Amino acid sequence: MSIRIPYGRQDICQRDIDTVIDILRSDWLTQGPFIEKFETTIAGFCGAKHAVAVSSGTAALHIACAAMGLKKGGRLWTSPNTFVASSNCGLYCGAEVDFVDIDPRTYNMSHEALEEKLRAAKKSGRLPDIVVPVHFAGQSCLMDRIKQMSVEYGFKVLEDAAHAIGGRYKDSFTGSCKYSEAVVFSFHPVKLITTGEGGMILTNDTAVYEKLLRFRTIGITRDSRHFKGPSHGPWYYEQLELGYHYRITDIQAALGISQFERLPEFVERRRFLAARYNKLLASLPVTLPWQHPDTCSPFHLYVIRLKLDKIRKTHRAVFEQLRSDGIGVNLHYIPVYKQPVYKQLGFNDHCCPEAEKYYSEAITIPLYYGLSEKDQDCVVGSLRHALLDE
Ligand SMILES: *Cc1c(COP(=O)(O)O)cnc(C)c1O
């Protein structure tokens, strides 16, 4: 059977469509006025000084690492419970990557495990240059603890907030850069707001910001203040370093602005549906998403864990049964170190025990703005059937 209810999907309204059509009729398809407008809108909302919009969340992570000075021989640590982009960014820069096990309640990087690993790394002189906390499913990591450790052990913090735009930690919005050098968002269609493909880096550090602008545009500058030699004339530009072509288009940026206007509505609906799942699933043999009181998640994902000792089916059988009912369940995530690219680097297949245990029990069930309560009831019915029937 085909998938009738996906695990996530975008919501495009008539205004989004009209906005894109207007841009198609304008003078600028790329590098027009909407990119900067998109950047200042998001930076203003998050309370960050600077923002740079790019072609994807992956590109954002890559040039954030580069702008923060990560190089060959450097070290980057992140969570294994994430999309591969969170650690690939380290590999792109020629750095060594390592993983910090997850917290069994939030499924974010555990700060206890981080502290323990930092203590050991200090002794062996192998401290990380950058740590990438991932705000899994939208719930912020405990950023004050991570910030404290960054001061004590001398690393920089890059937040992977691909799931977390519109979320909060204590009194600030995710993206404020209050606890980190930079924060990255993704605007892939499955994320909270979309530009088709797209990403953004926020930072309060002006030097990092200027590097990001150059890395986004091949390393080229037209600003004479940065030239190494004399200008040859009005056509002159210089390539100062080997940058990338990671620009976003004006079409996408305009769509992003239009989508962003509905972010509060999107978050409110997702939180409503998550609370509704919590009630409807309370009596089933599953662990519901636990939320730390200092966080307010926009619920990019709704993940349950099966209590396998209380049911007579395997994790895989439950997953397959839901899929055969047309429910587009998913699994976020296969621990990154299990991927062939990482195994080749020498990672042990079971190096993070909490991430392993989580991986053997987790299922992402459908949650998105346009999910109707009737369809949500179908998901619950199908899950109940899969869990309780022989
Ligand atoms: C989606 C995602 C990314 C990458 O974003 P793209 O825009 O798809 O490149 C990075 N990290 C996490 C945790 C993600 O979910």
Side-chain angles (χ1 to χ4, degrees):
M1 188 176 168
S2 62
I3 297 301
R4 198 177 67 76
I5 309 176
Y7 83 89
R9 69 161 290 149
Q10 72 279 12
D11 189 89
I12 299 294
C13 68
Q14 190 58 44
R15 192 195 52 217
D16 294 335
I17 295 167
D18 294 343
T19 302
V20 167
I21 291 171
D22 286 348
I23 302 294
L24 290 172
R25 294 207 169 99
S26 78
D27 292 337
W28 303 96
L29 298 187
T30 189
Q31 291 175 277
F34 284 90
I35 294 173
E36 204 176 314
K37 190 168 173 217
F38 186 34
E39 292 167 341
T40 51
T41 302
I42 303 282
F45 167 76
C46 294
K49 209 156 147 190
H50 307 290
V52 177
V54 292
S55 52
S56 71
T58 301
L61 285 163
H62 176 193
I63 60 172
C65 284
M68 285 162 65
L70 192 64
K71 289 196 186 72
K72 194 172 161 64
R75 277 180 287 270
L76 176 146
W77 292 2
T78 189
S79 166
N81 185 35
T82 186
F83 183 56
V84 290
S86 314
S87 51
N88 284 349
C89 55
L91 300 183
Y92 294 148
C93 295
E96 256 178 58
V97 166
D98 207 352
F99 299 96
V100 181
D101 206 353
I102 62 170
D103 179 283
R105 288 204 293 182
T106 62
Y107 321 141
N108 278 333
M109 175 192 285
S110 150
H111 45 80
E112 285 91 358
L114 176 59
E115 179 123 54
E116 202 180 306
K117 204 173 167 75
L118 286 166
R119 260 190 244 118
K122 192 173 179 184
K123 279 193 198 124
S124 59
R126 302 180 58 78
L127 282 167
D129 301 286
I130 295 182
V131 171
V132 182
V134 181
H135 306 310
F136 179 76
Q139 177 171 205
S140 176
C141 296
L142 303 183
M143 292 311 298
D144 56 351
R145 301 285 300 272
I146 294 173
K147 171 84 186 169
Q148 259 170 22
M149 286 186 245
S150 79
V151 173
E152 189 177 345
Y153 292 94
F155 58 83
K156 292 178 179 168
V157 181
L158 168 58
E159 297 174 61
D160 183 340
H163 300 181
I165 191 169
R168 291 201 302 269
Y169 170 69
K170 292 195 169 166
D171 56 0
S172 52
F173 276 106
T174 296
S176 71
C177 304
K178 194 169 165 187
Y179 306 94
S180 61
E181 270 71 26
V183 180
V184 160
F185 293 136
S186 162
F187 306 121
H188 180 275
V190 91
K191 307 291 160 74
L192 288 132
I193 59 170
T194 190
T195 57
E197 297 282 4
M200 193 177 278
I201 310 108
L202 293 102
T203 184
N204 289 334
D205 183 326
T206 304
V208 167
Y209 172 65
E210 281 172 2
K211 281 187 200 152
L212 289 170
L213 291 178
R214 285 220 298 274
F215 282 131
R216 170 174 72 177
T217 304
I218 307 130
I220 285 175
T221 184
R222 290 176 187 277
D223 183 343
S224 60
R225 287 171 304 169
H226 298 302
F227 290 168
K228 304 263 190 221
S231 168
H232 304 173
W235 61 85
Y236 191 68
Y237 59 83
E238 280 188 355
Q239 183 184 3
L240 298 173
E241 67 242 295
L242 188 62
Y244 308 91
H245 186 163
Y246 281 170
R247 289 194 302 259
I248 195 167
T249 64
D250 243 39
I251 308 166
Q252 292 169 299
L255 175 58
I257 295 166
S258 181
Q259 283 265 299
F260 169 76
E261 287 177 25
R262 288 194 295 155
L263 179 63
E265 197 186 322
F266 287 167
V267 172
E268 191 186 23
R269 176 72 183 167
R270 284 172 175 275
R271 288 184 58 81
F272 167 79
L273 291 169
R276 193 164 181 271
Y277 266 142
N278 289 345
K279 267 193 230 123
L280 296 171
L281 302 175
S283 63
L284 293 182
V286 296
T287 304
L288 303 177
W290 183 83
Q291 301 292 297
H292 190 283
D294 286 344
T295 68
C296 179
S297 172
F299 275 94
H300 164 56
L301 301 173
Y302 189 95
V303 176
I304 56 171
R305 286 176 78 161
L306 307 185
K307 292 181 176 165
L308 291 169
D309 54 345
K310 301 228 166 72
I311 60 176
R312 272 184 265 197
K313 284 205 185 102
T314 62
H315 175 238
R316 182 171 177 157
V318 172
F319 194 100
E320 283 175 345
Q321 194 170 331
L322 287 159
R323 280 269 178 102
S324 75
D325 283 349
I327 313 294
V329 287
N330 216 318
L331 210 174
H332 298 93
Y333 287 97
I334 306 164
V336 174
Y337 51 77
K338 287 188 180 301
Q339 298 295 347
V341 164
Y342 287 84
K343 270 203 201 160
Q344 229 171 40
L345 296 172
F347 282 99
N348 170 338
D349 207 26
H350 299 278
C351 62
C352 297
E354 288 296 344
E356 290 291 313
K357 185 156 192 306
Y358 165 86
Y359 178 53
S360 69
E361 299 170 351
I363 299 182
T364 304
I365 62 175
L367 179 65
Y368 48 93
Y369 174 76
L371 180 69
S372 68
E373 284 150 62
K374 195 157 151 262
D375 280 350
Q376 190 180 30
D377 293 338
C378 282
V379 174
V380 173
S382 174
L383 185 61
R384 174 185 300 277
H385 196 251
L387 292 169
L388 303 180
D389 286 7
E390 309 270 305

